[in-house]
Amino acid sequence: MDTPERFAHLPDYAFPRLRALLDAHAPGGPVVHMSIGEPTHPTAPFVPEVLAAEVAGFGRYPANDGTPALLAAISGGGGGATLVAEVGPERLMALNGTREGLFNALLALCPETKRGRRPVVLIPNPFYQVYAVAALAAGAEPVYLPATRATGYLPDFGALSPDLLDRTAIAFVCSPANPQGAVASRGYLSDLLDLAERHDFRVFSDECYSEVWRDAPPPGLLEAGRAHDPERQVVFNSLSKRSNVPGLRSGFVAAGPGAIGPIRRLRAYAGAPLPDPLQAVAARLWQDEAHVEASRALYAEKYAIAARILGNVPGCRVPEAGFFLWLPVPDGEAAALKLWRETGVRVLPGAYLAREVDGFNPGAGYVRVAMVAGIEAFEQGLGALRRCLYG
Ligand SMILES: Cc1ncc(COP(=O)(O)O)c(C=O)c1O
């Protein structure tokens, strides 16, 4: 039987590709996992207690939009720079992690045509992979924009042709960026919203790494967009990185009054709401900053270790925010394989996070290193990486 043509050219997901590249070979030393962005710092100590107290809630179908307690907790200020406090619960929806939310919100908001033509979805390249599959599922044309050293590791939206911008229905921005760790300034975000107003499109701002930063909290789209049309602004955030609970699957979307309705409606039919006991845990986590600050302090130690170990390697930057190092190498696949075989350190080839456009894959000359291991393992792994890849 046939399968849909629109997904026929999707590459395999990054992690099966990594297993295919590495797993036929024995690790050359103690295994250090630096490939997947799965945080391992402690979450808040109250999580088991809250979960135990709420366990009867598994006997009920969950609240689709989010329990009032969860939406109030989110809009109560958690999530720092995202400024959802000014948005209020009526413009929020709880998500089962942002990955599904990014996908479903795009399905809910991307029109079939724009000004009589197939709509375009603008995607930074490299990028978090669900953006592309959501665009394809909606029948839109994904257009990949280089987010390279030459563009400050963020897409240069201002350089796009007016015709392309007129066809655009949705533009993704990811700040702090996965994988490059770049942070969009308020001016950058506000210029993007100017373009969105001029050319009539929405901005989907993926802010999952907003709480993992080095010197200053990154600006969020809602903050940069105070003077702009709220209907253009669709913001996603998550507890996965903020609170070190990627398995809890809890995030949210904040959108304008006209956009949140269609997102809620689609998810009422086809979404997978977060079980009520997990919503109760999530509500507590959004209200607590102590565990977030403790985790940020551990990342600060890791930024310092990275600066010490890699500081004098040309092209190696310690990111402004987020927990990835994006390290230049001649060939990312060859480097990941060599590193695994010679040291047991596992990193991701940058090409797996990007698409080739006009013969150029902007991730091909990089490996992505997740700073998620414990401090000691991280230091040992990064030292081994330095010796193996940079001498
Ligand atoms: C940029 C980015 N967005 C979204 C997500 C999804 O996070 P979650 O579904 O756990 O909220 C991730 C996870 O790695 C990510 O890196």
Side-chain angles (χ1 to χ4, degrees):
M1 294 234 324
D2 287 343
T3 54
E5 174 63 22
R6 61 188 184 281
F7 300 131
H9 306 292
L10 269 186
D12 279 340
Y13 204 60
F15 296 105
R17 283 174 86 184
L18 184 68
R19 288 194 287 275
L21 178 72
L22 302 186
D23 285 358
H25 306 274
V31 174
V32 185
H33 289 284
M34 293 181 146
S35 57
I36 190 165
E38 185 175 75
T40 61
H41 298 166
T43 189
F46 52 73
V47 166
E49 209 178 290
V50 178
L51 191 54
E54 298 288 334
V55 83
F58 284 118
R60 295 189 298 269
Y61 278 113
N64 188 56
D65 298 346
T67 60
L70 174 57
L71 299 183
I74 294 169
S75 64
T82 57
L83 270 204
V84 286
E86 291 177 17
V87 163
E90 62 292 344
R91 285 177 46 194
L92 294 172
M93 166 152 216
L95 300 174
N96 198 319
T98 44
R99 187 172 66 175
E100 70 84 6
L102 288 156
F103 183 87
N104 283 308
L106 190 139
L107 278 190
L109 296 178
C110 187
E112 284 85 1
T113 57
K114 182 166 178 213
R115 300 180 183 171
R117 296 191 287 175
R118 186 182 177 201
V120 159
V121 172
L122 300 176
I123 297 177
N125 195 19
F127 60 101
Y128 185 58
Q129 297 290 296
V130 76
Y131 308 161
V133 87
L136 293 173
E141 179 189 345
V143 171
Y144 302 103
L145 307 177
T148 58
R149 194 169 156 190
T151 67
Y153 298 103
L154 295 166
D156 184 358
F157 291 104
L160 301 178
S161 73
D163 183 60
L164 181 60
L165 290 165
D166 281 342
R167 281 181 60 205
T168 298
I170 288 165
F172 280 100
V173 62
C174 180
S175 170
N178 171 9
Q180 310 94 322
V183 169
S185 66
R186 276 180 200 84
Y188 177 97
L189 294 170
S190 134
D191 288 350
L192 176 57
L193 287 169
D194 285 343
L195 284 178
E197 287 175 6
R198 209 168 318 132
H199 295 275
D200 187 25
F201 61 84
R202 284 196 166 91
V203 177
F204 275 30
S205 183
D206 180 352
E207 302 182 2
C208 286
Y209 294 91
S210 66
E211 299 305 301
V212 183
W213 43 265
R214 194 160 44 119
D215 301 322
L221 189 74
L222 297 172
E223 179 191 355
R226 272 187 169 127
H228 288 83
D229 176 3
E231 281 307 325
R232 309 273 163 207
Q233 307 173 37
V234 185
V235 171
F236 300 83
N237 211 324
S238 167
L239 287 175
S240 298
K241 326 290 178 185
R242 176 189 194 272
S243 298
N244 304 314
V245 284
L248 183 69
R249 309 308 304 131
S250 179
F252 70 82
V253 55
I260 199 74
I263 299 174
R264 286 180 167 178
R265 190 165 345 111
L266 186 72
R267 291 186 83 268
Y269 279 96
L274 191 67
D276 280 354
L278 303 188
Q279 296 201 38
V281 173
R284 282 291 302 278
L285 286 170
W286 284 114
Q287 288 169 310
D288 183 75
E289 290 301 314
H291 72 286
V292 183
E293 282 157 18
S295 184
R296 199 153 45 232
L298 290 174
Y299 286 119
E301 279 186 56
K302 293 181 187 178
Y303 293 139
I305 291 168
R308 180 162 47 72
I309 294 180
L310 297 171
N312 58 358
V313 178
C316 286
R317 308 148 36 242
V318 178
E320 288 169 76
F323 55 55
F324 296 112
L325 298 168
W326 184 238
L327 303 181
V329 288
D331 172 335
E333 266 194 333
L337 183 57
K338 175 178 157 72
L339 190 60
W340 174 248
R341 294 179 69 176
E342 294 183 9
T343 71
V345 173
R346 213 172 163 89
V347 298
L348 196 64
Y352 297 2
L353 300 165
R355 287 289 187 284
E356 184 174 311
V357 178
D358 299 332
F360 173 64
N361 181 322
Y366 289 86
V367 288
R368 191 190 75 174
V369 179
M371 299 193 282
V372 292
I375 298 276
E376 227 170 86
F378 172 68
E379 187 161 12
Q380 178 250 314
L382 201 64
L385 178 149
R386 155 93 212 225
R387 288 187 293 278
C388 176
L389 299 184
Y390 301 108

